[in-house]
Amino acid sequence: LGDFPTAKRQFALAFDGANIWVAAESTVIKHRTSDGAILATISGSGLDVPLGLAFDGANIWVANAGGSGVTKLRASDGANLGTFAAGCSLRSIAYDGANIWVANACFHNVTKLRASDGAILGTFAVGTHPYGVAFDGYSIWVASQDNNSVTKLRASDGATLGIFAVGAT
């Protein structure tokens, strides 16, 4: 219903059930969905080139490409609840109902973090330069930028269920 001002260079969006969150340059911006008003602009500690966002039911998780890790923000007020190591050159992030999955472009893997405390539960190899992560209710899907493939992992234990070619061969 209109254009709403935000920051330059937006990279990701997440919906928390009431508001839209935008990752842009070195900030995360919370917009009210009814009118686009900016409710909060969060920057500073841990927010280092945010490229991915996910909502876990209470918090917004931010994948930071600049090397600082994954930042957990309380959705109600934007409070920074911590930044957790998860690899490097982080790209995208997904929530599976209990855990956070984040793509590590420089290590060619995904890291699984427990959403309650950010503890690393595992790191799983995928294709070269993983960029996109999604959860389908059972599996984690990871799109790899440089080898035209999508890897399917079992969410419970990270086991590889398949590697599928996509795009031009």
Side-chain angles (χ1 to χ4, degrees):
L1 298 175
D3 293 327
F4 303 107
T6 193
K8 292 181 182 179
R9 297 183 46 141
Q10 302 89 16
F11 298 106
L13 297 169
F15 179 61
D16 71 8
N19 304 291
I20 291 291
W21 294 75
V22 179
E25 294 186 343
S26 62
T27 62
V28 176
I29 302 160
K30 180 180 179 180
H31 289 271
R32 185 171 43 225
T33 56
S34 62
D35 62 4
I38 294 174
L39 302 176
T41 300
I42 300 112
S43 60
S45 180
L47 294 176
D48 181 12
V49 190
L51 290 186
L53 297 173
F55 178 61
D56 73 3
N59 305 293
I60 296 291
W61 289 81
V62 184
N64 296 293
S68 60
V70 176
T71 302
K72 183 178 181 180
L73 303 173
R74 188 169 43 227
S76 61
D77 62 5
N80 188 325
L81 301 177
T83 298
F84 308 93
C88 73
S89 196
L90 306 180
R91 294 296 186 237
S92 63
I93 194 165
Y95 176 62
D96 72 6
N99 305 295
I100 299 297
W101 293 77
V102 60
N104 301 295
C106 64
F107 293 145
H108 316 302
N109 61 33
V110 292
T111 300
K112 180 181 180 180
L113 304 171
R114 188 170 41 231
S116 61
D117 62 4
I120 294 175
L121 300 177
T123 301
F124 308 96
V126 294
T128 307
H129 293 107
Y131 210 95
V133 180
F135 177 62
D136 70 4
Y138 175 73
S139 303
I140 297 295
W141 292 80
V142 183
S144 296
Q145 178 177 332
D146 290 347
N147 67 338
N148 297 326
S149 72
V150 175
T151 303
K152 181 180 179 182
L153 304 173
R154 187 169 39 232
S156 61
D157 63 4
T160 300
L161 300 176
I163 300 171
F164 307 96
V166 295
T169 55

